[in-house]
Amino acid sequence: MAQTKVKRLLAHSSIGHVGYIRTGFSCGTIEGIQSLLIGIFIYALMTIDAFAIVLALRQTRVKYIGDLGALAKTNPISAITFSITMFSYAGIPPLAGFCSKFYLFFAALGCGAYFLAPVGVLTSVIGRWAAGRLPRVSQFGGPKAVLRAPDK
């Protein structure tokens, strides 16, 4: 199911992140709980940043993923910040999202969840495509919609 709205895509990625965080909870060890708390903290910071940028862009009528095409030309600081946040969501090293997932998956291996950790890595790799779509469109996509000032 292809998403066209930015906020809906971020909300759907939240479901996957809850699964990663639940990996730490399923261990039932100190390392698992520590990885869970670190994962929640990092995920909360990434989510606040991503939604703050999307809400700030809402004033310029950015609602759909295609609307991000003109972002790098019209607001390069927001485009770079949004791209870094989305790369962190995807778990690209050396960003905080990677460190969080790395710690969660190693906690799963440490507690003997030998099936859960590779499944988490596999879903993380698949999720990189969805999270990598937003920075790709915001940096390199053609301007499908011109960003305009809000009507008064």
Side-chain angles (χ1 to χ4, degrees):
M1 176 168 72
Q3 291 299 322
T4 57
K5 293 185 177 181
V6 177
K7 286 197 304 186
R8 188 175 292 169
L9 181 68
L10 290 173
H12 282 189
S13 73
S14 300
I15 297 168
H17 283 281
V18 168
Y20 300 135
I21 291 170
R22 198 167 160 239
T23 302
F25 184 72
S26 67
C27 288
T29 62
I30 296 296
E31 291 83 14
I33 300 300
Q34 287 174 344
S35 68
L36 171 126
L37 293 174
I38 289 171
I40 288 173
F41 179 72
I42 290 173
Y43 173 70
L45 291 178
M46 289 188 307
T47 303
I48 289 169
D49 185 36
F51 277 103
I53 292 170
V54 169
L55 290 177
L57 294 174
R58 184 87 168 165
Q59 294 177 352
T60 56
R61 298 213 169 86
V62 172
K63 184 176 182 181
Y64 297 97
I65 294 172
D67 297 341
L68 292 170
L71 187 60
K73 293 179 182 164
T74 58
N75 197 344
I77 300 296
S78 290
I80 290 170
T81 305
F82 190 63
S83 294
I84 290 171
T85 302
M86 289 297 103
F87 287 141
S88 184
Y89 253 97
I92 304 292
L95 300 172
F98 171 77
C99 296
S100 170
K101 289 178 183 179
F102 184 80
Y103 196 39
L104 283 163
F105 297 147
F106 266 93
L109 288 174
C111 75
Y114 299 117
F115 179 73
L116 191 59
V119 168
V121 171
L122 180 67
T123 58
S124 180
V125 169
I126 292 170
R128 285 184 187 200
W129 176 82
R133 185 173 158 203
L134 294 175
R136 185 175 58 242
V137 170
S138 71
Q139 295 293 331
F140 306 113
K144 292 187 179 183
V146 176
L147 297 177
R148 4 177 230 284
D151 296 330
K152 295 196 182 206

